[in-house]
Amino acid sequence: MAAKDSPLKQFEIIPYSKTEVGSYDISFTNSSLSMVITVAVITLFLTLTVNPRSLVPTRMQLISELMYNFIAQLLSDTVGDNGKKYFPFVFSIFMFVLIGNMVGMVPYQFTFTSHIIVTFALASVVFIGVTILGFVNHGIKFFTFFYIPGVPFYMHPLLIPIEVISYLSRPISLSVRLFANMLAGHTLLKVFAGFVVAMPFFTGALPLVFIVALTGLEILIAFLQAYVFAILTCLYINDAYHLH
Amino acid sequence: MVDEDKLKDLKERIETAKSINTPIPKKKKESGAGFGFKISTEIIAALVVGVGIGLIVDKYLGTKPFGLIIFFIFGAIAGFLNVYRVMRRIEKQ
């Protein structure tokens, strides 16, 4: 696929085993391995650090509690009291994206969030879940979500398709944002890494300095994108409760 | 009675400490490029959905090319609507 020294080679999927069910290829790939590592890191980190349950937390326990508080606060700010029961869902998504991005920052490690199919699947789970939630809460009245009150009646044939398209574009914008940020960032890092080798004498040190700075920026973006994913999930849950 | 004064003092100190600590920085400062990216994905996503619906309508109703044209325009308007909503949400914060 990609050439040997291409900056895009890092996104190549390498299957470790050939498994096919029907016509579907469900091989265990480097992407799957990366996800397994992510889930293992999250589970081990959260259980081990909170295990002592000390009243005066250690540093590691504090990190876990900060993450918990961060999402709990986010949910109560955006959804209110109704939001409490969605905490496990939002927290899982936030941690999966955040730690997935962070695991991807480790050199030689595959970044699964840089594949649109992964982020689109995550966004679809949110989208379908929120739509079902809307129907459970409001029944058939959920369709009034697409009906804007206080507009002249002859405008509705125009506005309803626009609202429906706007609603359907949610999972796409949610997934494209995360995927493109990770893809662009990691490609940029590899391109600059290529400059280090290609530049003559000691001028290669200059792009090396850039890489260090960019790595810091990438870690910020990794956090920011996980945060954006979580807050948009919260906002969509809020929409499912309060039409308009 | 000294104890009560002490308790009051302690309470006040706790309150001030709390008021200093509560405003956790919720939002990291975003770069201009990040902001532009957010806006552009909103437009593109709506256009993709609009074009997709248009192509499906054309295929099953045989209205080529009017479905595509109409839903492309709807998609573009929906994209601007999305951008407007994002901007309004940012203004609110």
Side-chain angles (χ1 to χ4, degrees):
Chain A
M1 282 249 292
K4 192 171 161 282
D5 297 324
S6 165
L8 297 176
K9 190 164 189 304
Q10 55 176 326
F11 304 118
E12 213 172 329
I13 296 276
I14 303 160
Y16 293 138
S17 69
K18 279 264 174 249
T19 330
E20 275 183 20
V21 173
S23 56
Y24 292 101
D25 186 7
I26 54 159
S27 309
F28 191 83
T29 62
N30 50 355
S31 183
S32 335
L33 180 68
S34 184
M35 288 182 210
V36 170
I37 292 172
T38 303
V39 172
V41 165
I42 295 169
T43 315
L44 285 178
F45 181 77
L46 288 181
T47 47
L48 289 183
T49 53
V50 188
N51 203 30
R53 289 191 175 76
S54 48
L55 202 58
V56 180
T58 60
R59 286 196 188 96
M60 286 298 155
Q61 191 184 341
L62 202 61
I63 294 175
S64 297
E65 286 175 2
L66 270 175
M67 283 167 170
Y68 180 96
N69 270 336
F70 184 69
I71 298 299
Q73 187 72 35
L74 196 68
L75 262 172
S76 65
D77 280 354
T78 50
V79 190
D81 287 338
N82 287 330
K84 288 224 171 65
K85 50 190 160 184
Y86 304 108
F87 176 80
F89 176 64
V90 178
F91 190 65
S92 309
I93 283 202
F94 174 73
M95 289 303 280
F96 189 63
V97 175
L98 176 67
I99 304 297
N101 290 345
M102 291 301 177
V103 164
M105 287 308 298
V106 177
Y108 292 103
Q109 185 59 50
F110 185 83
T111 322
F112 63 82
T113 43
S114 65
H115 277 259
I116 191 156
I117 191 66
V118 176
T119 58
F120 188 70
L122 277 173
S124 299
V125 170
V126 172
F127 178 73
I128 294 169
V130 163
T131 308
I132 291 171
L133 189 66
F135 277 112
V136 167
N137 284 335
H138 297 280
I140 204 75
K141 272 169 87 185
F142 180 66
F143 282 116
T144 59
F145 185 70
F146 304 120
Y147 180 92
I148 304 170
V151 178
F153 67 94
Y154 49 83
M155 288 296 282
H156 285 302
L158 273 176
L159 282 175
I160 288 171
I162 290 170
E163 282 292 319
V164 171
I165 290 173
S166 168
Y167 187 72
L168 290 177
S169 72
R170 277 172 172 189
I172 296 177
S173 71
L174 195 58
S175 57
V176 166
R177 198 175 298 137
L178 174 60
F179 137 80
N181 266 297
M182 300 320 289
L183 184 82
H186 284 261
T187 311
L188 195 65
L189 278 179
K190 280 285 153 69
V191 168
F192 270 93
F195 289 164
V196 176
V197 189
M199 279 169 85
F201 306 117
F202 296 106
T203 48
L206 204 65
L208 191 64
V209 173
F210 266 123
I211 291 177
V212 175
L214 277 175
T215 308
L217 184 74
E218 274 304 300
I219 288 171
L220 174 75
I221 287 177
F223 175 78
L224 207 65
Q225 288 308 314
Y227 168 73
V228 166
F229 211 97
I231 197 170
L232 283 174
T233 306
C234 293
L235 286 173
Y236 295 160
I237 290 172
N238 184 40
D239 277 351
Y241 271 98
H242 313 285
L243 306 176
H244 304 295
Chain B
M1 291 302 112
V2 183
D3 273 353
E4 253 178 35
D5 279 351
K6 248 187 181 173
L7 275 177
K8 237 182 187 175
D9 185 45
L10 187 65
K11 200 184 171 191
E12 265 173 23
R13 270 162 55 204
I14 289 172
E15 289 296 314
T16 48
K18 265 187 184 168
S19 67
I20 291 166
N21 283 333
T22 34
I24 306 156
K26 278 178 210 156
K27 206 166 188 300
K28 287 270 187 325
K29 204 171 173 286
E30 216 173 336
S31 64
F35 181 71
F37 192 79
K38 208 154 135 192
I39 298 295
S40 58
T41 46
E42 292 291 343
I43 294 186
I44 291 167
L47 275 174
V48 167
V49 173
V51 168
I53 292 176
L55 288 176
I56 291 168
V57 165
D58 277 350
K59 196 180 170 192
Y60 288 102
L61 300 183
T63 49
K64 212 173 183 177
F66 298 104
L68 181 60
I69 294 170
I70 290 167
F71 278 99
F72 179 84
I73 294 168
F74 277 158
I77 299 170
F80 281 106
L81 188 70
N82 283 348
V83 170
Y84 169 71
R85 286 196 176 133
V86 169
M87 290 304 294
R88 205 170 51 179
R89 205 164 61 219
I90 291 168
E91 294 269 294
K92 238 191 246 173
Q93 279 173 357

